[in-house]
Amino acid sequence: MESLKKEEPCLEKTSQGSSSLETVLYKSRYLYSKYNPSRSIISSIEKLNLLPGTLVILASPALWYGLNELQAKIPENCLILALEAEGPLLNFSKKQLALFSKKLVKEVILEDANDFSKLDTLLRSFANTGEYKRAVKIDFSAGVQFAKEKYEKIYSAAEELIAQFWKNRITLTKFGRLYNKNIFRNLLYFTNFTELNDVSKKVEKPILVCGAGESLENTLESLKKPDDFFIIAADASLSVLEKHKLKADAVVALEAQNIIQKAYIGIKNSPEYIFLDLCSRPEIPDVVHSEIIYFLTEYSSSSFIKTLSRELTESVIPPMGSVGLAATYIALRLRKSEETPVYLTGLDFCFTRGKTHSRGTPQHTEILLKNRKLSFLDNIKSTFSQGTFDAKNNKSVARTTIALSSYAKQFKEMFSSEKNLFSLCTNGLYLGLEIKETFEIKGSSSKTDLTIDKKRKMNIEKAKSYYENELKALEEIKDLLINGDSSDFRTKKISLEEQLKNLIEKRDYLYLHFPDGYKYTGDISFLKRVRAEIDYFSKQIRYGIKRSNMIK
């Protein structure tokens, strides 16, 4: 009975100092000093320089010493999230927090540090509000020592999710408008559509995914019977395959900018299929005459994307940024079962000094074309530009960039647990996969046909109706912004501000690319910018309606 009692947190009077202060004995360990239990934590809080927009993580709060001082110091737009990994201490902390309930200046959230699923959802919801710019961890008692690594893991996850949100915001600010324009252009670009979902689990033969990294050269030079593999090429690797007189079975098009069209120059034998992101460059199908299988990247959790996935397409994939990651994701969706092997080459995410891509890629060819007596043949500028650094690859050391290394990390998180997924990138960054040499792999002579007997035909009338409804809504918003309460579209049941908010939030493609576009604000500056975007997107929608009228 005595040993069981020691497993529960027990309050004990301190030897010195104020008689009102107590310490906690848990698992034969004091969680605070026996002499002055609050001094250490209060001293730490006094040294803190907390900025607005901080997520404050309290590890093992126990008696909550320092909470009053923290709340008195905490600036605006901050949130306190307390975590406890020990079950008995969690219950103990809840009871102690209840004593503060009437004195709390700000709400404090207390969660079980072992419930990773709930914490993941919670942290993502915090990060996606755009309210927080950083996270800070404060050890509130010695109870942290019982699960130190767990607290660090949660703290790192919070920092990463917040950083990722702002990285995505930068991307959307630069490219969000282009993504949305491409979607409106692509929706009715073709009369017959086949979705990614339609061809899932169709490929029986081993799949070879080709990126544009240096390892692609070695693989193609030593690959025996390439026809025995279903080859999926990232668009930048098409020209390398062409140089080796190989034809890809499929190519993945992800890039939204026109620079990617260089990858298709000189391709005589178009792949049988092109997996086309609706966000990608609309002119690509004019260059590559392949059967189109489309999907939509969920580049944001916007109302626009949710509406499209609900009304027009079911084939929505997570955002990956890298065409190599997207090609891997598609390959895993295509294979018949987990027993079908998938091999990766050219997904190195690093490079040797002076050479960033395989020979034959547009990037390498451009360097050759610019070669002069006074210029370097090697790509020295890219090798030593800002953001590049040395990194250990599978064999030695190579150069990489912040972006490439982040893709490698993302790849490892997404795919390292997949069964029968192998890397042929012997000189690439480690991706958490088993590495094989080209001579070790074998293909299959089985045939693959992704043609759908009854192609999924996008309901043109349904799509046209979507366009017309959007155009009508944009005209309504425009009139309300111009005429206010005098507008013919004015609904008297609700305020003008509420009516505008309801209409605009459902069409967040109008403002997602604003620097402050992570949420609707409704101030004059915001609405003026929305008004300017209405004309731009109305033009894209009218183009779609015109195209739909031409389709028989």
Side-chain angles (χ1 to χ4, degrees):
M1 289 295 292
E2 184 67 24
S3 61
L4 289 174
K5 185 177 180 181
K6 290 182 179 179
E7 293 299 311
E8 294 294 324
C10 301
L11 286 171
E12 288 194 8
K13 295 290 184 181
T14 55
S15 301
Q16 296 179 10
S18 173
S19 59
S20 62
L21 294 181
E22 298 172 303
T23 186
V24 179
L25 180 64
Y26 177 67
K27 290 186 176 180
S28 302
R29 181 171 187 163
Y30 285 104
L31 304 189
Y32 299 95
S33 166
K34 292 189 293 181
Y35 302 99
N36 194 337
S38 64
R39 182 176 60 185
S40 177
I41 183 61
I42 291 176
S43 175
S44 297
I45 290 171
E46 287 174 349
K47 295 175 184 177
L48 281 177
N49 181 24
L50 290 175
L51 299 173
T54 300
L55 174 62
V56 183
I57 297 177
L58 306 186
S60 191
L63 283 171
W64 300 92
Y65 288 141
L67 181 61
N68 289 332
E69 289 77 8
L70 178 63
Q71 291 217 320
K73 186 174 185 176
I74 202 167
E76 293 297 316
N77 299 324
C78 290
L79 178 70
I80 298 177
L81 172 64
L83 302 173
E84 181 53 69
E86 294 286 306
L89 280 178
L90 178 63
N91 295 328
F92 177 81
S93 296
K94 286 180 179 179
K95 294 176 182 178
Q96 295 298 318
L97 181 61
L99 302 176
F100 282 84
S101 59
K102 295 181 181 180
K103 303 177 184 178
L104 290 178
V105 179
K106 291 180 178 290
E107 180 188 6
V108 176
I109 300 172
L110 175 61
E111 295 291 344
D112 183 354
N114 299 296
D115 193 344
F116 288 125
S117 177
K118 183 178 180 180
L119 285 174
D120 180 71
T121 302
L122 195 64
L123 291 174
R124 288 180 187 278
S125 68
F126 294 157
N128 291 337
T129 62
E131 297 289 337
Y132 308 107
K133 311 294 191 301
R134 64 198 64 80
V136 169
K137 183 175 76 72
I138 307 174
D139 295 343
F140 249 47
S141 78
V144 171
Q145 300 303 320
F146 294 112
K148 191 172 183 178
E149 291 184 1
K150 195 171 291 184
Y151 293 120
E152 286 295 334
K153 183 178 180 180
I154 296 169
Y155 169 58
S156 297
E159 282 193 311
E160 189 171 330
L161 287 170
I162 292 172
Q164 189 61 52
F165 172 82
W166 291 108
K167 287 178 185 176
N168 291 343
R169 283 305 311 158
I170 292 172
T171 301
L172 284 176
T173 301
K174 292 179 66 176
F175 301 115
R177 196 180 197 228
L178 179 60
Y179 294 159
N180 295 333
K181 172 192 171 183
N182 288 350
I183 289 174
F184 280 121
R185 290 287 179 122
N186 279 327
L187 276 177
L188 279 175
Y189 199 86
F190 323 104
T191 55
N192 294 325
F193 282 89
T194 301
E195 290 195 42
L196 175 60
N197 287 5
D198 296 331
V199 296
S200 293
K201 299 184 178 181
K202 292 276 186 178
V203 179
E204 295 185 25
K205 63 166 60 176
I207 300 174
L208 179 65
V209 177
C210 298
E214 295 175 82
S215 62
L216 178 61
E217 296 176 38
N218 297 330
T219 299
L220 297 183
E221 288 170 0
S222 57
L223 184 66
K224 296 180 180 179
K225 297 183 178 181
D227 291 339
D228 288 351
F229 296 87
F230 186 87
I231 299 177
I232 301 177
D235 40 25
S237 69
L238 276 178
S239 53
V240 184
L241 292 165
E242 185 87 12
K243 180 181 178 181
H244 286 80
K245 298 180 181 180
L246 295 177
K247 177 182 176 181
D249 294 283
V251 62
V252 178
L254 197 71
E255 178 59 61
Q257 301 179 86
N258 60 2
I259 192 172
I260 197 57
Q261 290 187 217
K262 292 181 180 180
Y264 300 93
I265 295 174
I267 304 302
K268 297 177 182 178
N269 298 314
S270 295
E272 193 72 26
Y273 311 99
I274 178 170
F275 287 89
L276 188 79
D277 188 351
L278 285 176
C279 300
S280 65
R281 182 89 176 148
E283 288 76 14
I284 295 303
D286 288 337
V287 183
V288 181
H289 305 290
S290 307
E291 183 172 342
I292 297 154
I293 302 171
Y294 81 96
F295 60 93
L296 173 63
T297 294
E298 190 180 10
Y299 63 85
S300 74
S301 56
S302 63
S303 296
F304 179 47
I305 296 297
K306 290 175 182 176
T307 300
L308 291 174
S309 62
R310 183 175 63 250
E311 297 183 10
L312 297 177
T313 177
E314 299 173 354
S315 298
V316 180
I317 74 170
M320 284 169 269
S322 163
V323 66
L325 270 70
T328 303
Y329 178 90
I330 289 169
L332 295 171
R333 289 282 300 273
L334 289 181
R335 64 177 178 176
K336 188 74 174 178
S337 69
E338 287 186 339
E339 302 306 315
T340 304
V342 175
Y343 302 102
L344 311 176
T345 182
L347 301 184
D348 304 326
F349 303 110
C350 63
F351 49 90
T352 55
R353 287 173 171 81
K355 184 182 175 187
T356 57
H357 294 76
S358 282
R359 287 174 293 179
T361 58
Q363 293 85 349
H364 188 260
T365 301
E366 186 174 357
I367 294 172
L368 296 178
L369 291 172
K370 291 180 178 179
N371 185 34
R372 299 290 186 273
K373 288 183 179 180
L374 298 179
S375 65
F376 290 104
L377 184 60
D378 291 337
N379 191 353
I380 301 299
K381 183 178 180 181
S382 294
T383 302
F384 297 102
S385 62
Q386 186 176 5
T388 61
F389 55 92
D390 283 335
K392 186 176 181 181
N393 61 13
N394 290 322
K395 282 190 174 180
S396 55
V397 175
R399 296 293 287 178
T400 189
T401 66
I402 295 172
L404 288 176
S405 60
S406 68
Y407 289 144
K409 181 180 179 182
Q410 184 180 354
F411 186 103
K412 189 175 179 180
E413 291 172 353
M414 293 184 69
F415 304 120
S416 61
S417 61
E418 291 287 342
K419 187 177 179 181
N420 284 321
L421 178 62
F422 306 101
S423 174
L424 305 178
C425 312
T426 54
N427 289 321
L429 295 186
Y430 180 62
L431 303 177
L433 305 178
E434 181 182 347
I435 300 170
K436 288 184 175 289
E437 297 284 353
T438 309
F439 66 82
E440 297 181 82
I441 68 174
K442 293 182 180 180
S444 169
S445 57
S446 59
K447 294 184 178 181
T448 300
D449 185 6
L450 299 184
T451 304
I452 308 301
D453 293 335
K454 292 183 178 180
K455 281 186 178 181
R456 178 190 297 270
K457 291 190 176 182
M458 176 177 275
N459 189 326
I460 299 302
E461 290 303 317
K462 184 177 180 181
K464 184 179 177 181
S465 175
Y466 169 76
Y467 274 130
E468 290 174 343
N469 289 336
E470 285 301 296
L471 185 60
K472 181 180 177 182
L474 293 184
E475 290 172 347
E476 184 177 340
I477 296 169
K478 180 178 178 179
D479 195 84
L480 286 166
L481 288 172
I482 294 173
N483 298 311
D485 286 320
S486 302
S487 171
D488 294 336
F489 298 100
R490 182 74 179 92
T491 299
K492 301 299 182 181
K493 294 180 180 180
I494 56 177
S495 67
L496 175 62
E497 291 77 13
E498 190 175 355
Q499 186 177 355
L500 281 170
K501 182 180 180 181
N502 291 341
L503 286 167
I504 296 173
E505 278 191 328
K506 291 177 182 177
R507 290 152 190 91
D508 47 10
Y509 57 82
L510 291 169
Y511 61 82
L512 273 176
H513 51 285
F514 294 171
D516 55 348
Y518 53 86
K519 63 179 180 179
Y520 175 90
T521 62
D523 59 49
I524 296 299
S525 171
F526 187 89
L527 293 177
K528 283 182 177 179
R529 286 176 284 158
V530 167
R531 165 66 187 87
E533 293 302 303
I534 288 174
D535 290 340
Y536 177 81
F537 283 103
S538 293
K539 180 180 177 181
Q540 312 308 322
I541 293 172
R542 288 192 181 95
Y543 172 86
I545 293 174
K546 180 180 178 181
R547 294 273 315 192
S548 66
N549 290 332
M550 295 169 61
I551 298 173
K552 298 181 180 179

